[in-house]
Structures are given as C-alpha cells and as structure tokens.
C-alpha cells in the first residue's frame, strides 16, 4: 500500500472536498481518500498499480488543479515532506493571494460605477437610454473574469453531477446578469408581459467582488493557521560544516550522510541528528522540545537537528539525516494530524452532503411562492429573493469549522513539544476521566540515587560512603552504580578490594584493609550475624518512605546505613495537582513493591497506586478501568508500556523514552516534558470548545439567514434581504470561523502559556 498526498488548487469549501473525494474514489485501485478543505490537501491510500497521472486526472476532471504531489509508503514510517514541495506550495499560495487581490481591485473599480449607475438619479448627466449598455460593458468583466472561477467550478461540478458552494454563487450572479442583459437588449420581452424591466447588474458585479474579497481574507487567515509547519521548516539548517579530506568544509544539508563528522560553532544550528564525539556545549532545544532551559552536551550525548548551539564548539557524528531526523518526524506527524478528520466532523459532513441541493430547492420554492402569491412586481421579488437564498446559504463556514481548528490546535501543540498523531486523539484527550502514570522514568527520574547516609556512632558520612563505594565498584547492580556515582561526585578516592563476592538478592562481601566488610539488606546482616541494634528503627523509617536501605558492617560491627531511591521528578507533584484540578482521577502503576509505590503515592497525593504489577499486566489494568466505564489515558516511556499505551483511549509517550512507546502512542511529549501532560488535556478541551463554537455559528448563521433571505419577515415587518448584503454576510461567516480558530494560538494553559 502507498499513500499520495496532493496539494489541490481551487478548493473553497466542504462541497468542493466532497466532489474531489467522490472523483478520487472512482479511480481503480484507490482504497480510501480524505480531502481537507482547510489544508487544501487530499490524502489517498492506493494500491501499487495506481499512477500519479490517474489521480491528477481525477482531480482536474472536476475543475481543480494539483499543485504538488508526494508519495509515502505505509511501511516507511514518517517521511520528511520535501522542502521543494513546501516551497512550491508557498509560492502557489502567494500567487493565489496576488490573483485574488488583483481580481478584487478590478472588481471594486468596476462595481462602484455599476452600483452608482443602478440609480439613474445619481448620474443625471448620462443619457438614460445609454446607461444600460454602459452598465453591461462594466459588468461583463466583473461577472466573467472576477467571478470566472466560480462559473468554471460550477460547470465542472455539474459535469460530475455534483453541486458545490460555487454552484450557488454561479447560479445567483449569472441569473442576475442574464436577466439584466435580456432587459438591456430585449426590454420588450418583459414590458409585453407587464413586467418591470429592472436592471440587476449591481447584484452581479458587487456580489462577485465581495465574495472574491472574502476569499482573499480567508486565504490570508488560513495561511496564518498553518504557521506551525512554516516555522518548523524554517528551523532546518541549510548547510553543514562536514569533515572532508581531513578538513571541515561547508556543504548543502542534502549532502550530509550518516557517519559524517560535523562541526558546530557557537550560534550555529545543529544540522542533523547525531552523537557528540568531541567538545562540549549547551544547546537551546526550545524550538523542538518546548523546553526553554539550555541542555548541556558532552561526549556521548545525542544532539537533535535544528537546535541552536549557545556556547562552545563541538564535533558530532551524524546518526540520522533527511527523513529520519526528529525534525522531519515532527513535521510529518503535524501534517498527518492536520489532514485527519475528527469524529465531531461527521455531523458537518452529513449536513454538507445534502446542503447545496436542498438550498437550490429552497431557492426555487422561494421564487415560485413569490411569483404566484407575492405583491407586484411578483416576478422580480421572487427573482431577487431566490438569488439572496443562493448567496447567503453557501456552506463555507460549515466546511471550515472543524479542520481549521484542528490545524491550529495541532500546530499550537507542536510548538510546545506536544505531538498529536491525529484529530481523533485530539478529540479523545479532552474526554478522559482517568489518567495512569507509569512510575519509573515517567513520574520518577528513572535512575536510583543516594538519598541518605546514616553513619553509626564514631563513623563519618564520608568514611561510610567511601567504604560502601569501594565495595560496590566491582558490582554491576544499578544500586551499586548509584553509590559509586555519589562517591565520584564528592571526589572520594576509592580503595581496591579483594575476595569480592556478590550474594544475589542480598548484597556483597569483600576484604578491604585486611578486614571483611558486608554491604546489603537486613537479611544479609542476619545471615552474617550482624546485630544492627539502634539502626533498625531508622532503617524501617527509610523503607516506609519507599527507599532501598543497605546496611554496612565490618565483620559483625554495624557502620551505618546507605539509602538509595529513584527520586520523584521536581515537577511531578505540580503536574498531578493540575490534573486533579481538571477533574481527573490520577493513578500510578508500578512493578515496585507496595511499600515503595505507596510512599511515592503519598508524596504526590495520587488518587490511587497499583503496585507489583508485572509489565505484561499493565494493559490488563487499563482494560479493567475501561470496563468500569472510565475513559483512560496512559502515560509511559518504556517498551513494556507499549501494550498499555495502545490499549488506552489515549496513549501519551514521553519523548525521552523508546521509539516503540512513541510509535504506539497517540500523543508524544518531546523531551519527556511531564508538564505537557495537563497541557495536552487543556489543548484538547480548548480545541473542541473552539470547534463547537465554529459549528454553532455555521449552523446558526444558515438556519437564521436562509429564511430571512427567502422573505419570511416581509409580511410582518416588510423586511427583505438584499443579495449584496447576503454576499457580505456569507463572506463574513467564513472569515469569522477562521479567525475564531486562530484564537487557539493564544489559548491559556496551566499557569499561563505553559505550566
């Protein structure tokens, strides 16, 4: 299976998207097609025999153009959209904006005299018999050049047995123009029937001009909605300083290959992903991870392309280039998310599918009712009101309501380091009721550290740590590494030991300075006959706090206690408090013993703790909670979290974790930024609230506007809606929806911008 992503020109609304989708699905070998009017893209899943030309033909046959096209294979993972493709799209948008502005200016220059000339009393210096011909000459370019795109689109839609927003515009303006042209050149056809020979050139010229202005403003606003992708693309370095023939030279970024040695100087961008091999520095990773504090990098540390070197110079080896870099994955994930459709959009899709034909029926009924039962001139009343119905009912706002908000919401998330896989995840995140955190590496730092040194009488802390570290230097146990690391941090000199013996599950014994030392748990002490005496109470208190306690003894004499623990991340408690304020039940799942897990639960004020849960049972825990009717989010970072992440209603992976965890999660938090867990929920809720506002406005506008345009207020209030006012209102509704979606860029999250 392959996937084609096509940028489409000439698409305005959800009806356009429906027409294009219908045409694409008729192509043999097309499995599925999704068309997004906000991003103006089609994502088509096809079999291997489908060609690019066949897809292009399907789109051009219904009156639209293909600006660019890129292929992705379903097995290759994220693929970097070619920079050339993005530049081509930006150039197309720029030319499109220029074209719309040019059409508006010409339309305005033509429409003003047409509007004034429609009232002969305002131009008494013109010969009345010549005025209709002058108005005709001025209106022809306004109708067929300024509004030509709507006529062309309507014609192609009719050929495809479809109706779009452009069908409504074309019918309304062309009806007004044709009626006026007949009045101009054959007025006797109307006067012989007793009908007033009125001119409606102003309706044709002004409506086309106003709608083009609306399209221009809408296009500008939509380009702002996709600024996240543009900003990410601008992050990419254009060149890299690569080692070639023993010296460093600048080469284009496209020339970098895996294994190249690259030098980065102060103030420069890291061109691709890699590993530091020489030097040290501090990198600003905020543009990729959302974290504002620079990160120290030394030999062996990984670096990410597009981050900025704030100080020092270093050399790194390229490990990922082109489409494999983190920046490429981010851009691709954001693009894919923006092209997906949220479940809430199904209602709008169903309505839009029948909307245009229904509106055309209402317009025809309006004309007939006014002609048969309206006051004189009934025919003209019916004609004008039918045009007003056609114009005001255009479903642009309805089609833009959901995808524009999703585009802005996912882009806003990306700039904060929150990568959302698709629109369904974005919608689901705001509905969760329970959130489960994995303990190790998620709520905790993921590596043990020495937390307490409790020496016996007559022993110093320094001596206690030095001896313990000397014994553990020969051990490979993670707890041993924590003790040795603490001694090295304090720059203590370690001594060599002999007769080292590891006692599995208990501790170690070894000879040091001629004496036999024992380091381990209370069971090892009992086995060695060590009487811990007064240290027992302190050891129990440390154990109740969730720490692993090791006793140190020389022969049978206790020397003190060393406590080691996986410490809680500094921001963890604040994150839990934020989630509970959002009304969520916050749980922790861990394979640790109950005493340790419950100690962390008390420290963080969690709603509940699930301890001694084997890795393979984490997914079962999620299923049990779901069976109770809860909507569950799982937050984890390890391979053993992947099944639970996949089972949860929303899986949230820490970006500092494994690729497997991130591949199965719906949301990835870059840099493992725990603070973005509540921000993800807030972003989802804010986006869904914005979508509902947009949909309400779109539905309310049409429900209210169509009857008014049809003239239901005329019997009681004598009020009719001028088609020109209707066109302005229609354009405003679309612009309102887009600008309302743009408010998501300023959405207030926990503690302000971010928590």
């Amino acid at each position: 299976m392959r996937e084609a992503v096509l940028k489409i020109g000439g698409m305005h609304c959800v009806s356009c998207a429906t027409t294009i989708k219908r045409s694409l699905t008729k192509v043999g070998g097309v499995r599925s097609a999704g068309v997004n009017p906000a991003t103006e893209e089609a994502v088509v899943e096809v079999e291997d025999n489908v060609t690019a030309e066949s897809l292009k033909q399907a789109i051009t046959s219904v009156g639209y153009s293909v600006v660019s096209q890129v292929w992705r294979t379903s097995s290759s993972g994220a693929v970097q959209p070619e920079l050339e493709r993005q530049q081509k799209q930006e150039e197309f948008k720029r030319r499109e904006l220029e074209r719309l502005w040019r059409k508006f200016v010409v339309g305005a220059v033509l429409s003003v005299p047409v509007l004034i000339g429609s009232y002969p009393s305002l131009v008494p210096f013109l010969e009345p018999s010549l005025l209709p011909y002058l108005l005709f000459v001025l209106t022809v370019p306004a109708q067929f050049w300024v509004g030509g795109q709507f006529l062309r689109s309507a014609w192609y839609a009719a050929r495809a047995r479809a109706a779009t927003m452009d069908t409504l515009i074309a019918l309304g303006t062309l009806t007004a123009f044709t009626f006026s042209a007949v009045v101009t050149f054959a007025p006797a056809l109307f006067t012989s029937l007793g009908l007033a020979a009125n001119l409606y050139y102003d309706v044709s010229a002004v409506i086309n001009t106003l709608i083009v202005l609306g399209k221009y403003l809408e296009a500008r606003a939509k380009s702002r909605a996709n600024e996240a992708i543009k900003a990410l693309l601008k992050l990419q370095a254009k060149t890299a300083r690569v080692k070639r023939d023993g010296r460093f030279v600048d080469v284009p970024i496209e020339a970098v290959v895996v294994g190249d040695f690259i030098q980065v100087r102060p103030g420069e961008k890291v061109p691709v992903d890699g590993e530091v091999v020489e030097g040290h520095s501090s990198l600003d990773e905020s543009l990729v991870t959302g974290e504002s504090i620079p990160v120290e990098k030394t030999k062996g540390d990984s670096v990410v392309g597009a981050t900025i070197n704030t100080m020092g110079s270093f050399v790194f080896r390229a490990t990922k280039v082109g489409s494999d870099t983190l920046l490429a994955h981010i851009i691709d994930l954001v693009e894919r998310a923006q092209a997906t459709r949220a479940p809430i959009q199904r209602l709008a899709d169903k309505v839009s599918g029948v909307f245009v034909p229904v509106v055309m029926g209402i317009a025809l009924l309006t004309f007939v009712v006014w002609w048969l039962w309206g006051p004189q001139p009934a025919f003209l009343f019916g004609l004008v009101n039918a045009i007003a119905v056609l114009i005001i009912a255009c479903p642009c706002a309805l089609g833009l309501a959901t995808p524009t908000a999703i585009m802005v919401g996912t882009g806003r998330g990306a700039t904060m380091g929150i990568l959302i896989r698709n629109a369904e995840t974005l919608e689901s995140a705001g509905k969760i009721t329970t959130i489960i955190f994995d303990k190790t590496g998620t709520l905790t730092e993921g590596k043990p550290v020495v937390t307490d040194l409790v020496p016996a009488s007559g022993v110093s802390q320094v001596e206690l740590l030095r001896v313990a570290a000397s014994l553990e230097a020969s051990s490979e146990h993670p707890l041993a590494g924590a003790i040795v690391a603490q001694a090295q941090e304090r720059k203590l000199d370690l001594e060599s030991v002999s007769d080292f013996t590891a006692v599995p599950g208990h501790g170690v014994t070894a000879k040091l300075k001629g004496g036999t030392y024992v380091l381990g748990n209370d069971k090892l002490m009992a086995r060695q006959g060590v009487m811990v005496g007064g240290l027992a109470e302190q050891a129990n208190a440390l154990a109740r706090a969730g720490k692993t306690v090791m006793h140190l003894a020389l022969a049978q004499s206790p020397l003190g206690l060393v406590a080691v623990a996986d410490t809680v991340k500094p921001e963890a408690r604040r994150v839990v408090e934020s989630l509970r304020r959002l009304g969520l039940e916050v749980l922790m799942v861990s394979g640790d013993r109950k005493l340790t897990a419950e100690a962390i639960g008390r420290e963080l004020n969690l709603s509940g703790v699930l301890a001694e849960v084997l890795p393979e049972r984490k997914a079962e825990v999620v299923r049990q909670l779901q069976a109770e009717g809860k909507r569950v989010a799982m937050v984890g970072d390890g391979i053993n979290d992947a099944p639970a992440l996949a089972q949860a209603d929303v899986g949230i992976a820490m970006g500092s974790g494994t690729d497997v965890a991130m591949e199965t999660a719906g949301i990835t938090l870059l840099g493992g930024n725990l603070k973005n867990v509540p921000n993800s929920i807030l972003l989802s809720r804010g986006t869904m609230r914005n979508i509902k506002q947009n949909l309400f406005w779109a539905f309310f506008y049409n429900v209210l506007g169509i009857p008014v345009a049809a003239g239901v207020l005329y019997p009681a209030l004598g009020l009719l809606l001028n088609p020109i006012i209707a066109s302005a209102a229609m354009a405003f509704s679309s612009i309102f929806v887009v600008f309302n979606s743009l408010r998501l860029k300023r959405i207030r999250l926990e503690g302000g911008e971010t928590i």
Side-chain angles (χ1 to χ4, degrees):
M1 296 298 296
R2 294 184 302 161
E3 193 176 70
V5 182
L6 305 103
K7 188 72 176 180
I8 300 172
M11 181 165 54
H12 309 302
C13 66
V14 71
S15 298
C16 299
T18 302
T19 300
I20 295 169
K21 180 178 179 179
R22 187 183 298 120
S23 183
L24 285 169
T25 52
K26 290 179 181 178
V27 177
V30 170
R31 290 287 188 89
S32 66
V35 184
N36 191 322
T39 59
E40 298 173 357
E41 281 189 339
V43 179
V44 190
E45 191 176 279
V46 301
E47 296 173 356
D48 289 338
N49 62 327
V50 177
T51 64
E53 188 58 36
S54 62
L55 297 180
K56 183 177 180 180
Q57 176 61 31
I59 292 171
T60 55
S61 67
V62 289
Y64 302 91
S65 62
V66 177
V67 178
S68 65
Q69 184 172 331
V70 66
W71 291 90
R72 305 188 283 212
T73 59
S74 58
S75 61
S76 64
V79 177
Q80 162 79 332
E82 296 90 341
L83 192 57
E84 293 77 12
R85 178 174 73 92
Q86 292 290 336
Q87 291 171 340
K88 192 174 181 181
Q89 291 178 9
E90 288 303 312
E91 177 63 19
F92 174 80
K93 289 177 183 176
R94 185 187 64 78
R95 291 200 308 269
E96 179 70 6
L97 282 171
E98 290 177 353
R99 184 182 67 85
L100 288 171
W101 179 251
R102 193 161 51 247
K103 284 196 169 191
F104 165 69
V105 171
V106 172
V109 170
L110 295 170
S111 296
V112 171
V114 170
L115 187 59
I116 295 173
S118 298
Y119 301 91
S121 61
L122 298 178
V123 285
F125 50 87
L126 286 177
E127 172 61 40
S129 61
L130 295 177
L131 186 58
Y133 299 101
L134 177 60
L135 296 180
F136 173 81
V137 171
L138 292 172
T139 306
V140 166
Q143 174 66 51
F144 295 100
W145 184 72
V146 176
Q149 64 200 65
F150 309 126
L151 299 175
R152 187 166 50 254
S153 176
W155 168 247
Y156 279 107
R159 285 177 52 186
R161 294 184 178 87
T164 68
M165 180 204 80
D166 292 335
T167 304
L168 301 181
I169 297 172
L171 277 175
T173 59
L174 199 57
T175 299
F177 176 81
T178 304
F179 179 84
S180 302
V182 173
V183 168
T184 299
F185 294 99
L189 288 177
F190 294 93
T191 55
S192 63
L193 296 173
L195 298 174
N198 290 354
L199 298 174
Y200 293 99
Y201 287 123
D202 56 332
V203 172
S204 168
V206 175
I207 285 177
N208 276 306
T209 301
L210 283 176
I211 293 176
V212 166
L213 174 62
K215 292 297 169 195
Y216 171 77
L217 295 174
E218 181 185 309
R220 283 192 61 183
K222 282 166 67 176
S223 77
R224 284 178 56 197
N226 208 19
E227 282 177 355
I229 289 289
K230 298 177 192 174
L232 289 170
L233 284 168
K234 289 177 181 176
L235 295 180
Q236 189 175 42
K238 302 297 185 294
T239 61
R241 191 169 177 78
V242 181
K243 195 170 188 178
R244 295 278 194 266
D245 299 325
R247 62 191 185 93
F248 288 101
V249 294
D250 290 329
V251 301
I253 189 71
E254 296 81 9
V256 178
V257 297
V258 173
D260 274 344
F261 289 93
I262 304 169
Q263 184 184 54
V264 183
R265 294 169 294 191
E268 293 182 339
K269 289 182 179 179
V270 178
V272 296
D273 298 357
E275 181 180 303
V276 177
V277 295
E278 181 184 319
H280 66 276
S281 186
S282 181
L283 298 187
D284 178 358
E285 298 184 339
S286 60
L287 293 174
V288 176
T289 66
E291 277 292 336
S292 58
I293 301 174
V295 181
E296 296 292 329
K297 300 290 181 179
T298 59
K299 184 177 180 180
D301 288 338
S302 61
V303 293
V304 177
T307 54
I308 299 173
N309 183 23
T310 60
M311 56 174 285
S313 177
F314 65 93
V315 176
F316 74 96
R317 181 176 58 84
T319 57
K320 293 180 180 180
V321 301
S323 62
D324 293 326
T325 63
L326 177 62
L327 179 63
H329 280 261
I330 294 171
I331 293 172
D332 181 73
L333 193 57
V334 174
E335 281 198 326
R336 285 175 182 263
Q338 292 181 344
T340 57
R341 303 168 81 79
I344 196 174
Q345 194 170 346
R346 292 171 189 155
L347 175 62
D349 290 345
K350 288 179 181 178
V351 172
S352 299
V354 298
F355 191 79
V356 174
V358 168
V359 168
M360 292 170 66
I362 293 173
L364 179 61
L365 181 63
T366 298
F367 173 74
V368 171
V369 169
W370 275 92
W371 191 15
L372 294 179
W373 293 291
Q376 293 301 318
F379 179 86
L380 297 181
F381 270 123
L383 180 67
V384 172
N385 289 333
I387 292 173
V389 169
L390 290 171
I391 298 302
I392 201 168
C394 292
C396 284
L398 196 60
L400 293 171
T402 302
T404 308
I406 289 171
M407 185 191 303
V408 179
T410 53
R412 175 77 169 95
T415 60
M416 297 170 55
I418 303 171
L419 296 186
I420 301 167
R421 184 172 296 276
N422 51 44
E424 185 174 357
T425 298
L426 182 63
E427 180 173 338
S428 298
K431 298 178 181 178
I432 67 168
T433 59
T434 301
I435 187 164
I436 306 174
F437 283 91
D438 172 56
K439 180 183 79 71
T440 306
T442 304
L443 288 175
T444 65
E445 296 289 358
K447 56 182 181 181
V449 296
V450 174
T451 59
D452 298 270
L453 292 168
V454 183
S457 177
V459 181
S460 68
Q461 281 192 349
V462 171
E463 182 64 15
L464 175 64
L465 178 60
R466 187 182 62 78
V467 173
S470 297
L471 296 176
E472 293 285 31
S474 300
S475 175
E476 296 179 354
H477 196 280
L479 298 183
I483 295 172
V484 173
Q486 178 72 3
Q488 290 174 340
E489 186 177 322
R490 295 195 183 191
K491 298 181 179 179
L492 302 181
D493 294 326
L494 305 186
E495 299 183 28
S496 300
V497 299
S498 60
D499 296 338
F500 175 85
T501 303
V503 184
H506 292 78
V508 300
T509 64
K511 287 186 178 180
L512 178 66
K513 296 179 181 179
T516 300
Y517 287 82
V518 182
L519 178 67
N521 57 24
D522 51 2
K523 292 180 181 178
L524 181 61
M525 295 301 109
R527 180 174 165 178
Q528 296 292 326
V530 178
M531 303 297 293
V532 296
L535 294 174
E537 186 176 339
Q538 291 173 302
N540 290 335
L542 291 170
R544 285 194 297 272
K547 300 173 182 179
T548 300
V549 182
M550 288 172 279
H551 296 262
L552 178 65
L554 172 60
Q556 279 77 42
S557 302
L559 299 179
L561 306 173
V562 179
V564 177
D566 182 5
T567 57
V568 170
K569 289 182 177 178
E571 70 273 21
R573 183 177 179 86
R574 187 178 172 191
V575 166
V576 172
E577 290 174 353
S578 297
L579 291 167
R580 297 193 69 169
R581 281 200 304 272
L582 292 174
L584 301 181
E585 178 185 27
V586 186
L587 307 177
M588 183 184 76
V589 62
S590 173
D592 276 352
R593 59 197 180 101
K594 190 174 182 180
L595 196 64
T596 301
E598 287 181 344
I600 292 177
R602 288 191 300 271
E603 182 179 350
L604 296 179
N605 193 27
L606 296 170
S607 306
V609 173
L610 305 168
E612 300 177 12
V613 177
L614 297 175
E616 59 269 22
R617 284 202 62 246
K618 289 182 180 180
E620 180 60 31
V621 168
V622 174
R623 278 193 291 271
Q624 289 173 356
L625 291 169
Q626 289 171 328
E628 296 171 10
K630 298 176 180 179
R631 298 183 65 86
V632 182
M634 172 72 192
V635 186
D637 73 331
I639 292 176
N640 57 25
D641 296 324
L645 290 170
Q647 175 64 39
D649 295 286
V650 177
I652 303 176
M654 308 300 286
S656 55
T658 66
D659 290 340
V660 175
M662 289 185 279
E663 284 298 321
T664 53
I667 297 175
T668 299
L669 306 181
L670 293 177
N673 188 349
L674 191 63
K675 295 181 288 186
N676 271 337
V677 174
N679 280 340
S680 301
I681 310 302
L682 285 164
L683 184 63
S684 169
R685 292 182 180 181
T687 303
M688 295 313 300
R689 184 167 57 249
N690 190 279
I691 288 173
K692 289 173 183 176
Q693 291 168 353
N694 288 347
L695 288 174
F696 170 79
W697 171 258
F699 280 119
F700 174 79
Y701 164 81
N702 283 306
V703 168
L704 182 66
I706 292 175
V708 173
V712 296
L713 298 180
Y714 184 79
L717 304 175
L719 181 63
L720 290 175
L721 187 63
N722 188 305
I724 294 175
I725 302 301
S727 67
M730 184 274 290
F732 171 76
S733 68
S734 298
I735 296 168
F736 172 87
V737 163
V738 175
F739 275 97
N740 187 51
S741 298
L742 288 172
R743 291 193 307 115
L744 285 169
K745 290 187 174 184
R746 300 188 300 276
I747 185 172
R748 182 174 177 80
L749 303 175
E750 279 292 310
E753 277 296 306
T754 55
I755 68 167

